[in-house]
């Protein structure tokens, strides 16, 4: 779906059938995704669709009520992850709920907000796709389904979703990682991330960066659940190797772009030091056919919410 297909400009007049054809990947795009482990699809969503997501998330945040003892700072630094998320049930039981996670240093010692709550939130997760009608509609939209079919997925299921804020001035750095470290399957190669730029993602506000081709070397570490009752609730097996920063390719995109992310491709984002937020909606799929979801993953299907099929 390169810009030459004119997705953005033709959306207003194109028929539903032609839109679904444009949502399918070409052979050259499939090859590029297979080689690099990620693929940028500019103009996949319209500005109006992005505004609808922003408006809905604003309504959710306005009604947010998080008890002091559940106010969890979100981090991708390993020691902070284990302390802040891996040790709290609020995070570990969030797979079938809509819950709120915050930036570092936004609470005082009593857990009170030091900055307005709407400016302190890092992300909302992990079941927007199941419980909110706007994000359920986006996740299961016909063009998403057509895109995923063109990748050859037979029985994709939605395992989690997140709305990420990347707040102006202090939106946190996301350290180099592989999604399969947290969403591990056997065999590997069965997890796919779909990352939607609800706002422009720039070099200044912390766009994603990837190491092309890094999805072919397996998984270097895994976050696993410790036995019930243990503290912390999770631990890491293995470790992230040191990686040359020059290997990362920054990937700025415009609002409405969709980035396909292979579960094992190494990626990161820098801290947002700009005055503009970098909001995104992202969700992860697993090809369920012939795949085992690790029982050691922090995220597990529940009686209340199994992993719903993408195709409707």
């Amino acid at each position: 779906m390169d810009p030459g297909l004119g997705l953005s400009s033709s959306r207003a007049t194109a028929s539903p059938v032609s839109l679904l054809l444009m949502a399918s990947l070409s052979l050259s795009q499939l090859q590029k995704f297979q080689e690099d482990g990620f693929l940028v699809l500019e103009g996949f969503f319209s500005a109006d669709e992005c505004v609808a997501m922003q408006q809905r998330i604003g309504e959710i945040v306005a009604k947010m009520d998080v008890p002091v003892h559940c106010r969890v700072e979100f981090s991708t630094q390993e020691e902070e992850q284990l302390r802040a998320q891996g040790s709290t049930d609020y995070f570990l039981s969030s797979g079938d709920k809509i819950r709120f996670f915050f930036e570092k240093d936004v609470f005082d010692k009593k857990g009170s907000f030091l900055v307005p709550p709407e400016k302190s939130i890092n992300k909302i997760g992990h079941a927007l796709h199941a419980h909110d009608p706007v994000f359920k509609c986006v996740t299961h939209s016909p063009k998403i389904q057509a895109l995923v079919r063109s990748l050859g997925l037979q029985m994709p299921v939605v395992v989690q979703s997140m709305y990420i804020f990347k707040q102006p001035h202090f939106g946190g750095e996301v350290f180099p990682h592989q999604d399969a470290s947290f969403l591990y399957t056997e065999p590997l190669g069965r997890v796919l991330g779909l990352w939607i730029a609800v706002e422009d993602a720039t070099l200044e506000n912390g766009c994603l960066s990837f190491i092309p081709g890094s999805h072919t070397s397996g998984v270097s570490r895994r976050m696993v659940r410790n036995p019930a009752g243990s503290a912390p609730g999770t631990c890491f097996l293995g470790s992230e190797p040191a990686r040359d920063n020059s290997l990362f390719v920054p990937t700025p995109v415009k609002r409405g772009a969709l980035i396909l992310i292979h579960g094992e491709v190494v990626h990161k984002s820098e801290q947002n030091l700009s005055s503009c937020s970098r909001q995104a909606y992202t969700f992860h799929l697993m090809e369920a056919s012939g795949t085992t979801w690790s029982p050691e993953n922090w995220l597990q299907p529940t009686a209340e919410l199994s992993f719903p099929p993408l195709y409707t």
Side-chain angles (χ1 to χ4, degrees):
M1 189 179 317
D2 55 48
L5 292 177
L7 181 63
S8 297
S9 61
S10 63
R11 179 178 280 110
T13 57
S15 70
V17 172
S18 63
L19 286 178
L20 293 185
L21 289 174
M22 285 187 285
S24 299
L25 297 180
S26 66
L27 288 176
S28 63
Q29 289 171 317
L30 284 169
Q31 182 178 3
K32 184 167 180 58
F33 178 65
Q34 291 165 357
E35 291 175 352
D36 292 345
F38 69 98
L39 182 69
V40 174
L41 305 174
E42 289 282 6
F44 195 88
F45 284 92
S46 70
D48 287 345
E49 289 170 315
C50 292
V51 168
M53 284 188 271
Q54 283 186 290
Q55 289 178 339
R56 178 58 188 147
I57 216 71
E59 295 168 358
I60 292 172
V61 171
K63 297 178 181 178
M64 174 177 66
D65 182 17
V66 183
V68 171
H69 70 278
C70 293
R71 293 178 182 174
V72 177
E73 294 179 354
F74 186 80
S75 172
T76 61
Q77 198 279 330
E78 184 167 311
E79 291 182 1
E80 293 175 350
Q81 277 186 318
L82 294 179
R83 183 182 69 251
Q85 291 121 244
S87 61
T88 172
D89 183 66
Y90 185 79
F91 176 82
L92 293 176
S93 63
S94 65
D96 58 1
K97 303 173 182 69
I98 296 176
R99 286 187 167 168
F100 306 87
F101 304 93
F102 299 91
E103 294 288 353
K104 294 174 58 179
D105 304 323
V106 298
F107 302 119
D108 64 19
K109 293 181 180 180
K110 296 181 179 179
S112 299
F113 287 100
L114 295 171
V115 295
E118 68 274 11
K119 297 295 185 183
S120 66
I121 191 164
N122 173 289
K123 74 171 189 175
I124 299 175
H126 288 91
L128 284 162
H129 64 279
H131 297 310
D132 184 82
V134 170
F135 291 98
K136 184 175 184 179
C137 183
V138 170
T139 305
H140 295 273
S141 63
K143 57 187 171 184
I144 288 286
Q145 295 188 47
L147 172 64
V148 174
R149 287 185 192 278
S150 73
L151 284 164
L153 276 71
Q154 301 299 311
M155 296 175 56
V157 295
V158 189
V159 299
Q160 70 165 5
S161 57
M162 298 177 286
Y163 195 94
I164 302 169
F165 291 81
K166 204 77 165 179
Q167 299 283 0
H169 304 300
F170 62 92
E173 175 184 5
V174 175
F175 291 88
H177 68 284
Q178 299 166 288
D179 292 341
S181 292
F182 309 93
L183 311 173
Y184 188 81
T185 63
E186 293 182 354
L188 286 170
R190 303 304 179 95
V191 168
L192 174 71
L194 294 91
W195 192 95
I196 300 162
V198 181
E199 297 179 311
D200 290 353
T202 67
L203 294 174
E204 293 75 25
N205 69 9
C207 67
L208 298 179
S209 295
F210 297 88
I211 300 181
S214 57
H215 60 301
T216 60
S217 302
V219 173
S220 57
R221 67 169 181 155
R222 290 177 55 196
M223 175 190 259
V224 301
R225 276 187 181 253
N226 284 324
S230 301
T234 60
C235 66
F236 281 99
L237 305 178
S239 61
E240 288 290 341
R243 296 185 173 94
D244 187 337
N245 196 53
S246 66
L247 296 174
F248 286 89
V249 176
T251 309
V253 294
K254 303 296 289 184
R255 163 188 259 186
L258 184 149
I259 304 180
L260 292 173
I261 304 175
H262 189 286
E264 284 110 75
V265 72
V266 178
H267 57 291
K268 66 173 185 174
S269 65
E270 302 298 334
Q271 185 177 2
N272 182 3
L273 300 177
S274 79
S275 60
C276 299
S277 60
R278 191 224 67 185
Q279 295 185 15
Y281 174 60
T282 182
F283 58 95
H284 286 89
L285 306 176
M286 177 185 71
E287 171 57 83
S289 177
T291 308
T292 300
W293 179 258
S294 174
E296 295 180 316
N297 286 340
W298 78 267
L299 174 70
Q300 295 295 326
T302 65
E304 291 74 23
L305 180 64
S306 61
F307 294 155
L310 177 72
Y311 299 149
T312 56

mmCIF file of all heavy atoms in Angstrom, residues 107-133:
data_model
loop_
_atom_site.group_PDB
_atom_site.id
_atom_site.type_symbol
_atom_site.label_atom_id
_atom_site.label_comp_id
_atom_site.label_asym_id
_atom_site.label_seq_id
_atom_site.Cartn_x
_atom_site.Cartn_y
_atom_site.Cartn_z
ATOM 1 N N PHE A 107 3.642 11.304 40.507
ATOM 2 C CA PHE A 107 2.964 11.177 41.795
ATOM 3 C C PHE A 107 3.887 11.656 42.908
ATOM 4 O O PHE A 107 5.109 11.512 42.824
ATOM 5 C CB PHE A 107 2.584 9.723 42.091
ATOM 6 C CG PHE A 107 1.695 9.098 41.055
ATOM 7 C CD1 PHE A 107 2.103 7.980 40.345
ATOM 8 C CD2 PHE A 107 0.442 9.624 40.783
ATOM 9 C CE1 PHE A 107 1.294 7.398 39.397
ATOM 10 C CE2 PHE A 107 -0.384 9.047 39.837
ATOM 11 C CZ PHE A 107 0.041 7.934 39.143
ATOM 12 N N ASP A 108 3.282 12.200 43.972
ATOM 13 C CA ASP A 108 4.070 12.460 45.169
ATOM 14 C C ASP A 108 4.127 11.189 46.019
ATOM 15 O O ASP A 108 3.631 10.130 45.600
ATOM 16 C CB ASP A 108 3.511 13.651 45.959
ATOM 17 C CG ASP A 108 2.098 13.406 46.502
ATOM 18 O OD1 ASP A 108 1.680 12.228 46.600
ATOM 19 O OD2 ASP A 108 1.419 14.398 46.847
ATOM 20 N N LYS A 109 4.724 11.267 47.190
ATOM 21 C CA LYS A 109 4.920 10.082 48.020
ATOM 22 C C LYS A 109 3.606 9.473 48.495
ATOM 23 O O LYS A 109 3.562 8.297 48.875
ATOM 24 C CB LYS A 109 5.808 10.426 49.211
ATOM 25 C CG LYS A 109 7.246 10.759 48.814
ATOM 26 C CD LYS A 109 8.106 11.077 50.028
ATOM 27 C CE LYS A 109 9.532 11.398 49.614
ATOM 28 N NZ LYS A 109 10.391 11.722 50.793
ATOM 29 N N LYS A 110 2.537 10.271 48.482
ATOM 30 C CA LYS A 110 1.232 9.766 48.901
ATOM 31 C C LYS A 110 0.402 9.234 47.735
ATOM 32 O O LYS A 110 -0.712 8.772 47.937
ATOM 33 C CB LYS A 110 0.462 10.873 49.624
ATOM 34 C CG LYS A 110 1.112 11.329 50.926
ATOM 35 C CD LYS A 110 0.268 12.415 51.587
ATOM 36 C CE LYS A 110 0.900 12.864 52.907
ATOM 37 N NZ LYS A 110 0.089 13.939 53.559
ATOM 38 N N GLY A 111 0.961 9.318 46.537
ATOM 39 C CA GLY A 111 0.239 8.839 45.364
ATOM 40 C C GLY A 111 -0.650 9.871 44.720
ATOM 41 O O GLY A 111 -1.416 9.554 43.805
ATOM 42 N N SER A 112 -0.564 11.134 45.173
ATOM 43 C CA SER A 112 -1.353 12.199 44.568
ATOM 44 C C SER A 112 -0.660 12.713 43.310
ATOM 45 O O SER A 112 0.570 12.696 43.204
ATOM 46 C CB SER A 112 -1.535 13.349 45.563
ATOM 47 O OG SER A 112 -2.221 12.903 46.719
ATOM 48 N N PHE A 113 -1.459 13.181 42.358
ATOM 49 C CA PHE A 113 -0.914 13.657 41.088
ATOM 50 C C PHE A 113 -0.155 14.964 41.273
ATOM 51 O O PHE A 113 -0.642 15.896 41.911
ATOM 52 C CB PHE A 113 -2.033 13.860 40.067
ATOM 53 C CG PHE A 113 -2.606 12.587 39.515
ATOM 54 C CD1 PHE A 113 -3.798 12.070 40.009
ATOM 55 C CD2 PHE A 113 -1.960 11.908 38.493
ATOM 56 C CE1 PHE A 113 -4.333 10.899 39.495
ATOM 57 C CE2 PHE A 113 -2.490 10.731 37.975
ATOM 58 C CZ PHE A 113 -3.672 10.224 38.483
ATOM 59 N N LEU A 114 1.025 15.025 40.682
ATOM 60 C CA LEU A 114 1.813 16.256 40.665
ATOM 61 C C LEU A 114 1.507 17.095 39.430
ATOM 62 O O LEU A 114 1.821 18.282 39.388
ATOM 63 C CB LEU A 114 3.312 15.926 40.706
ATOM 64 C CG LEU A 114 3.811 15.252 41.989
ATOM 65 C CD1 LEU A 114 5.250 14.776 41.805
ATOM 66 C CD2 LEU A 114 3.703 16.206 43.174
ATOM 67 N N VAL A 115 0.956 16.458 38.413
ATOM 68 C CA VAL A 115 0.537 17.134 37.186
ATOM 69 C C VAL A 115 -0.890 16.696 36.893
ATOM 70 O O VAL A 115 -1.353 15.681 37.437
ATOM 71 C CB VAL A 115 1.463 16.797 35.990
ATOM 72 C CG1 VAL A 115 2.865 17.322 36.232
ATOM 73 C CG2 VAL A 115 1.505 15.298 35.739
ATOM 74 N N PRO A 116 -1.633 17.420 36.055
ATOM 75 C CA PRO A 116 -3.010 16.999 35.764
ATOM 76 C C PRO A 116 -3.063 15.552 35.291
ATOM 77 O O PRO A 116 -2.211 15.120 34.502
ATOM 78 C CB PRO A 116 -3.437 17.977 34.660
ATOM 79 C CG PRO A 116 -2.594 19.192 34.881
ATOM 80 C CD PRO A 116 -1.274 18.675 35.366
ATOM 81 N N PRO A 117 -4.038 14.789 35.755
ATOM 82 C CA PRO A 117 -4.100 13.358 35.393
ATOM 83 C C PRO A 117 -4.046 13.105 33.894
ATOM 84 O O PRO A 117 -3.385 12.170 33.440
ATOM 85 C CB PRO A 117 -5.429 12.915 36.002
ATOM 86 C CG PRO A 117 -5.644 13.830 37.156
ATOM 87 C CD PRO A 117 -5.085 15.162 36.720
ATOM 88 N N GLU A 118 -4.734 13.956 33.114
ATOM 89 C CA GLU A 118 -4.761 13.727 31.668
ATOM 90 C C GLU A 118 -3.410 13.962 31.015
ATOM 91 O O GLU A 118 -3.166 13.507 29.894
ATOM 92 C CB GLU A 118 -5.826 14.607 31.007
ATOM 93 C CG GLU A 118 -5.538 16.090 31.018
ATOM 94 C CD GLU A 118 -6.007 16.782 32.301
ATOM 95 O OE1 GLU A 118 -6.370 16.074 33.268
ATOM 96 O OE2 GLU A 118 -5.995 18.025 32.325
ATOM 97 N N LYS A 119 -2.506 14.659 31.712
ATOM 98 C CA LYS A 119 -1.161 14.878 31.197
ATOM 99 C C LYS A 119 -0.149 13.889 31.766
ATOM 100 O O LYS A 119 1.022 13.898 31.369
ATOM 101 C CB LYS A 119 -0.698 16.304 31.529
ATOM 102 C CG LYS A 119 -1.537 17.398 30.890
ATOM 103 C CD LYS A 119 -1.431 17.375 29.384
ATOM 104 C CE LYS A 119 -2.176 18.545 28.763
ATOM 105 N NZ LYS A 119 -2.121 18.488 27.268
ATOM 106 N N SER A 120 -0.586 13.063 32.696
ATOM 107 C CA SER A 120 0.331 12.150 33.380
ATOM 108 C C SER A 120 0.246 10.722 32.859
ATOM 109 O O SER A 120 1.107 9.899 33.156
ATOM 110 C CB SER A 120 0.031 12.149 34.877
ATOM 111 O OG SER A 120 -1.254 11.604 35.123
ATOM 112 N N ILE A 121 -0.769 10.444 32.072
ATOM 113 C CA ILE A 121 -1.017 9.052 31.676
ATOM 114 C C ILE A 121 -0.070 8.631 30.558
ATOM 115 O O ILE A 121 0.194 9.373 29.608
ATOM 116 C CB ILE A 121 -2.495 8.864 31.287
ATOM 117 C CG1 ILE A 121 -2.832 7.386 31.141
ATOM 118 C CG2 ILE A 121 -2.848 9.649 30.041
ATOM 119 C CD1 ILE A 121 -4.314 7.107 31.134
ATOM 120 N N ASN A 122 0.491 7.437 30.691
ATOM 121 C CA ASN A 122 1.395 6.866 29.699
ATOM 122 C C ASN A 122 0.622 6.050 28.673
ATOM 123 O O ASN A 122 0.783 6.222 27.467
ATOM 124 C CB ASN A 122 2.440 5.999 30.392
ATOM 125 C CG ASN A 122 3.330 5.208 29.447
ATOM 126 O OD1 ASN A 122 2.890 4.261 28.814
ATOM 127 N ND2 ASN A 122 4.591 5.601 29.367
ATOM 128 N N LYS A 123 -0.233 5.146 29.171
ATOM 129 C CA LYS A 123 -1.000 4.308 28.247
ATOM 130 C C LYS A 123 -2.244 3.782 28.929
ATOM 131 O O LYS A 123 -2.361 3.785 30.164
ATOM 132 C CB LYS A 123 -0.157 3.149 27.721
ATOM 133 C CG LYS A 123 0.080 2.033 28.730
ATOM 134 C CD LYS A 123 0.745 0.823 28.058
ATOM 135 C CE LYS A 123 0.778 -0.357 29.008
ATOM 136 N NZ LYS A 123 1.306 -1.577 28.372
ATOM 137 N N ILE A 124 -3.181 3.323 28.099
ATOM 138 C CA ILE A 124 -4.379 2.621 28.551
ATOM 139 C C ILE A 124 -4.344 1.239 27.915
ATOM 140 O O ILE A 124 -4.115 1.097 26.720
ATOM 141 C CB ILE A 124 -5.657 3.368 28.140
ATOM 142 C CG1 ILE A 124 -5.694 4.766 28.770
ATOM 143 C CG2 ILE A 124 -6.893 2.581 28.529
ATOM 144 C CD1 ILE A 124 -6.867 5.613 28.318
ATOM 145 N N GLY A 125 -4.531 0.198 28.723
ATOM 146 C CA GLY A 125 -4.519 -1.168 28.192
ATOM 147 C C GLY A 125 -5.280 -2.093 29.133
ATOM 148 O O GLY A 125 -5.628 -1.689 30.238
ATOM 149 N N HIS A 126 -5.549 -3.300 28.739
ATOM 150 C CA HIS A 126 -5.020 -3.964 27.550
ATOM 151 C C HIS A 126 -6.146 -4.605 26.730
ATOM 152 O O HIS A 126 -5.916 -5.494 25.929
ATOM 153 C CB HIS A 126 -4.013 -5.049 27.957
ATOM 154 C CG HIS A 126 -2.717 -4.475 28.475
ATOM 155 N ND1 HIS A 126 -2.487 -4.207 29.789
ATOM 156 C CD2 HIS A 126 -1.605 -4.091 27.814
ATOM 157 C CE1 HIS A 126 -1.277 -3.700 29.944
ATOM 158 N NE2 HIS A 126 -0.713 -3.618 28.762
ATOM 159 N N ALA A 127 -7.403 -4.161 26.989
ATOM 160 C CA ALA A 127 -8.529 -4.767 26.284
ATOM 161 C C ALA A 127 -9.496 -3.722 25.745
ATOM 162 O O ALA A 127 -10.707 -3.910 25.757
ATOM 163 C CB ALA A 127 -9.256 -5.757 27.194
ATOM 164 N N LEU A 128 -8.964 -2.609 25.234
ATOM 165 C CA LEU A 128 -9.816 -1.632 24.557
ATOM 166 C C LEU A 128 -10.552 -2.279 23.390
ATOM 167 O O LEU A 128 -11.701 -1.949 23.094
ATOM 168 C CB LEU A 128 -8.969 -0.463 24.048
ATOM 169 C CG LEU A 128 -8.500 0.556 25.081
ATOM 170 C CD1 LEU A 128 -7.344 1.376 24.524
ATOM 171 C CD2 LEU A 128 -9.639 1.458 25.509
ATOM 172 N N HIS A 129 -9.876 -3.201 22.715
ATOM 173 C CA HIS A 129 -10.452 -3.865 21.549
ATOM 174 C C HIS A 129 -11.703 -4.667 21.877
ATOM 175 O O HIS A 129 -12.520 -4.936 20.994
ATOM 176 C CB HIS A 129 -9.425 -4.798 20.919
ATOM 177 C CG HIS A 129 -9.029 -5.930 21.831
ATOM 178 N ND1 HIS A 129 -8.093 -5.767 22.832
ATOM 179 C CD2 HIS A 129 -9.440 -7.227 21.912
ATOM 180 C CE1 HIS A 129 -7.939 -6.919 23.485
ATOM 181 N NE2 HIS A 129 -8.745 -7.815 22.937
ATOM 182 N N ALA A 130 -11.854 -5.053 23.137
ATOM 183 C CA ALA A 130 -12.980 -5.892 23.532
ATOM 184 C C ALA A 130 -14.096 -5.108 24.204
ATOM 185 O O ALA A 130 -15.271 -5.461 24.073
ATOM 186 C CB ALA A 130 -12.499 -6.998 24.476
ATOM 187 N N HIS A 131 -13.740 -4.048 24.927
ATOM 188 C CA HIS A 131 -14.710 -3.384 25.793
ATOM 189 C C HIS A 131 -15.160 -2.011 25.316
ATOM 190 O O HIS A 131 -16.142 -1.481 25.861
ATOM 191 C CB HIS A 131 -14.138 -3.259 27.203
ATOM 192 C CG HIS A 131 -13.872 -4.572 27.865
ATOM 193 N ND1 HIS A 131 -14.811 -5.581 27.920
ATOM 194 C CD2 HIS A 131 -12.774 -5.059 28.490
ATOM 195 C CE1 HIS A 131 -14.302 -6.628 28.566
ATOM 196 N NE2 HIS A 131 -13.069 -6.335 28.910
ATOM 197 N N ASP A 132 -14.473 -1.426 24.363
ATOM 198 C CA ASP A 132 -14.890 -0.108 23.889
ATOM 199 C C ASP A 132 -15.345 -0.196 22.442
ATOM 200 O O ASP A 132 -14.609 -0.709 21.587
ATOM 201 C CB ASP A 132 -13.747 0.903 24.004
ATOM 202 C CG ASP A 132 -14.217 2.296 23.614
ATOM 203 O OD1 ASP A 132 -14.808 2.982 24.468
ATOM 204 O OD2 ASP A 132 -14.037 2.667 22.432
ATOM 205 N N PRO A 133 -16.534 0.301 22.129
ATOM 206 C CA PRO A 133 -17.065 0.124 20.771
ATOM 207 C C PRO A 133 -16.242 0.811 19.686
ATOM 208 O O PRO A 133 -16.117 0.275 18.581
ATOM 209 C CB PRO A 133 -18.478 0.712 20.855
ATOM 210 C CG PRO A 133 -18.496 1.564 22.090
ATOM 211 C CD PRO A 133 -17.516 0.942 23.031
#
